[in-house]
């Protein structure tokens, strides 16, 4: 009797595991085909030699990786560090960080505003936030260009009102890039923040005020710690696409300063150096991975200190 | 803000005058004036929606009165932010900070007041001891039981030594047994700390057990203020008599009025003295209340002031309720204490007389 029971249990257990694999198959196939597969191809390409007109030659080569970090002088073959690449990487990381911070600064009050509206009105506000997603990013970038260019909406208006005499140069500046980046990525910050804020028990804010907390302390000691998951999620969602973005810097920054995205695009386009492009892409993935690990571990740590 | 700790042993007195509060078209509080004395356990009692919580939230500063003034020890506070009032609140669902430990929760107010670390630690230790949670200081509040969370909420609100502690139905989420022990606990804490407690509840028994004085509220107005015995034995109007305990209403005629007693004629023709609310002049047809335990049954139906037929007997363990049909068709309830074991000795259908104890009838304001 007990032997039968053990056997039955064993069978059920095996069936359970089979079922689990079966049920998660769609997700696994999707991840494999859309994420892991392409990444492996890129990794493979980074170790091949460049073809004459783009593409790759099927020959093992570490030139792609070599060129990520070093540059060889065309005339005397001296090897030096690829300063240009480091500058571009550092510039992109800085831009992504700035975008994340700006999105947080503008996204937090927005999400807070929506979360404190009457429940029946919240979906309308969320709907308004997501409307820009309906339009292609390139078109939105050109739309911003139209607003801030020399003869654009803002300058025309300011001149007509007599506030300024000559148009202010806004297009093709760092301001334009940050404006565009913040605008494009803002919904990615607002939505997860809203999801956290919506679950916030607003009686806790009353309790904090009751216990002599100032507005600033209510924000820093109660609201921020409680919506931290939303802040982390939003920051990751903004930082990653911001790091690899190249449309906005090009259209609104005038392409004067290359970003990682532009650099990679260049290798696959005019540069015709696919292995280098692939190696740069893998480098980017590694940077993102480290950034995320660092962020999540840090967030976990400070969350943990509250337990101590 | 600092005065909250400067006057540690002194509970604040609150004076409210002409308080009105509208939410849109709905008037939650209608012209309430109350004097809450220093060091007293004051209860706002009433059914849900009567405005008691709104009144409490106005003392705390979460709502501003539409009209009227709120004074704390003579100083106007109605316009101050909650963080500027030396008043702390125990919230109905505790509202403990889930990301902080028990000790951090309790120390939150002192930390916000900018007290030195050593002082905070000392007060937190003292508070943990006061609410018997010494071993729980480093636990997250989410790891505590409902009763323990309740005590943390209490300790958190007491730690900054407020002049007035506001309690918004703090016991309603607890089970009966825990609620009983917390009632005694609260009473002890109030006596030990000397802080004025303003307690909001819809539970009349809770109010009677704990309070020094009770304000009974209904539909945004204060109906009666008094000591528990006054509220229970001398209800001023029908709502108060009905809301608190069980009672018998009898329509009577006023025969004569003295300084503090009136003589009233029962439907049977018998005349008994009755007290009446101060400031009223009863005349003509009035209603008196007689509590069920203030009446007793007697076999001699002919000589008793009231008589009737028993139509129901309800056994309750400590008491037995006799429901008697009077001559005019109305029902009258008598509560007999079960001093002896066994059945009460009466039976349904029996004709009995009802004796009324001396000085228990109270005339209601119309």
């Amino acid at each position: 009797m007990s032997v039968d029971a053990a056997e039955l249990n064993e069978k059920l257990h095996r069936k359970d595991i089979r079922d689990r694999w079966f049920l998660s198959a769609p997700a696994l196939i999707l991840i494999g085909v859309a994420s892991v597969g392409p990444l492996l191809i890129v990794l493979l390409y980074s170790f091949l030699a460049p073809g004459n007109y783009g593409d790759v030659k099927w020959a093992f080569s570490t030139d792609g990786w070599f060129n990520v970090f070093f540059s060889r002088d065309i005339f005397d073959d001296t090897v030096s560090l690829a300063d240009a690449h480091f500058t571009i990487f550092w510039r992109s990381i800085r831009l992504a960080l700035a975008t994340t911070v700006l999105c947080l600064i503008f996204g937090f009050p927005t999400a807070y505003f929506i979360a404190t509206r009457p429940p029946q009105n919240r979906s309308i506000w969320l709907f308004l936030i997501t409307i820009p997603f309906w339009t292609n990013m390139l078109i939105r970038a050109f739309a911003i260009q139209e607003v801030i260019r020399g003869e654009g909406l803002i300058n025309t208006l300011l001149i007509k009102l007599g506030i300024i005499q000559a148009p202010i140069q806004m297009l093709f500046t760092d301001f334009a890039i940050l404006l565009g980046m913040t605008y494009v990525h803002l919904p990615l910050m607002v939505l997860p923040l809203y999801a956290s804020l919506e679950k916030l028990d607003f009686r806790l804010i009353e309790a904090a005020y009751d216990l002599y907390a100032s507005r600033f302390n209510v924000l820093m000691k109660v609201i921020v710690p409680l919506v931290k998951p939303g802040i982390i999620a939003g920051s990751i969602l903004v930082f990653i696409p911001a790091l690899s973005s190249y449309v906005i810097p090009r259209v609104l920054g005038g392409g004067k300063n290359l970003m990682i995205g532009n650099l990679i695009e260049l290798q696959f386009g005019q540069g015709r150096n696919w292995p280098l492009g692939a190696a740069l892409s893998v480098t980017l993935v590694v940077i993102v991975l480290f950034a995320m690990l660092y962020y999540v571990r840090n967030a976990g740590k400070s969350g943990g200190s509250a337990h101590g | 803000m600092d005065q909250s700790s400067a006057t540690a042993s002194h509970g604040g007195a609150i004076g409210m005058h002409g308080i009105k509060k509208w939410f849109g078209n709905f008037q939650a509080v209608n012209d309430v004036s109350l004097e809450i004395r220093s060091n007293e356990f004051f209860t706002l009692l009433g059914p849900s929606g009567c405005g008691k919580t709104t009144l409490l939230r106005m003392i705390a500063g979460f709502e501003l009165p539409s009209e009227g003034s709120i004074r704390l020890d003579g100083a106007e506070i109605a316009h101050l932010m909650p963080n500027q009032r030396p008043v702390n609140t125990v919230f109905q669902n505790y509202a403990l900070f889930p990301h902080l430990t028990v000790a951090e929760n309790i120390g939150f107010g002192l930390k916000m007041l900018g007290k030195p670390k050593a002082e905070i630690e000392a007060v937190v230790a003292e508070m943990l001891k006061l609410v018997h949670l010494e071993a729980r200081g480093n636990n997250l509040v989410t790891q505590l039981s409902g009763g323990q969370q309740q005590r943390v909420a209490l300790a958190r609100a007491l730690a900054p030594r407020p002049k007035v502690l506001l309690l918004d139905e703090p016991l309603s989420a607890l089970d009966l047994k825990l609620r009983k022990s917390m009632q005694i606990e609260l009473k002890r804490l109030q006596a030990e700390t000397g802080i004025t407690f303003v307690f909001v509840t819809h539970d009349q028994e809770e109010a009677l057990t704990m309070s020094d004085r009770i304000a009974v509220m209904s539909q945004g107005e204060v109906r009666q203020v008094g000591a528990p015995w006054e509220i229970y034995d001398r209800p001023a109007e029908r709502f108060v008599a009905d809301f608190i305990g069980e009672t018998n209403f009898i329509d009577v005629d006023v025969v004569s009025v003295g300084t503090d007693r009136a003589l009233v004629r029962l439907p049977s023709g018998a005349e008994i003295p009755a007290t009446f609310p101060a400031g009223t002049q009863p005349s003509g047809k009035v209603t008196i209340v007689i509590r069920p335990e203030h009446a007793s049954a007697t076999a001699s139906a002919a000589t008793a002031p009231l008589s009737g037929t028993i139509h129901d007997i309800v056994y309750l363990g400590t008491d037995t309720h006799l429901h008697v049909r009077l001559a005019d068709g109305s029902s009258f309830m008598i509560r007999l204490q079960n001093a002896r074991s066994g059945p009460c000795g009466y039976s349904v259908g029996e004709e009995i007389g009802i004796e009324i104890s001396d000085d228990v009838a109270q005339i209601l304001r119309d």
Side-chain angles (χ1 to χ4, degrees), chain B residues 15 38 72 96 114 121 130 143 220 295 335 338 349 352:
Chain B
S38 175
L72 177 62
L96 297 174
E121 275 170 15
L130 192 68
Q143 297 165 333
R335 177 177 295 148
N338 293 332
I352 57 161

Side-chain angles (χ1 to χ4, degrees), chain B residues 94 146-147 170-185 202-206 209-210:
Chain B
Y94 319 143
L171 308 181
S172 60
L174 304 179
D175 61 57
L176 184 67
K177 214 170 170 187
L178 207 50
R179 196 153 67 220
K180 295 272 181 208
S181 73
M182 277 309 292
Q183 286 175 5
I184 298 164
E185 188 81 355
H202 63 267
D203 184 330
Q204 40 123 346
E205 196 190 321
E206 208 165 88
T209 313
M210 296 162 51

Side-chain angles (χ1 to χ4, degrees), chain A residues 288-302:
Chain A
V288 167
L289 216 63
F290 272 106
M292 266 179 66
L293 275 177
Y294 174 79
Y295 203 80
V296 169
R297 250 190 52 197
N298 252 29
K301 236 186 256 165
S302 58

Side-chain angles (χ1 to χ4, degrees), chain B residues 184-244:
Chain B
I184 298 164
E185 188 81 355
L186 276 178
K187 197 74 187 137
R188 172 181 73 88
L189 284 172
Q190 199 264 329
E192 271 180 33
T193 57
I195 292 169
T196 308
F197 276 32
V198 182
F199 186 86
V200 159
T201 184
H202 63 267
D203 184 330
Q204 40 123 346
E205 196 190 321
E206 208 165 88
L208 293 174
T209 313
M210 296 162 51
S211 317
D212 293 321
R213 286 195 309 147
I214 299 170
V216 183
M217 290 186 70
S218 147
Q219 296 181 331
E221 290 173 18
V222 171
R223 300 293 175 173
Q224 188 175 359
V225 183
W229 75 267
E230 288 176 302
I231 298 287
Y232 186 78
D233 286 341
R234 303 269 186 267
E237 53 185 88
R238 186 177 276 267
F239 174 82
V240 177
D242 218 14
F243 187 72
I244 294 163

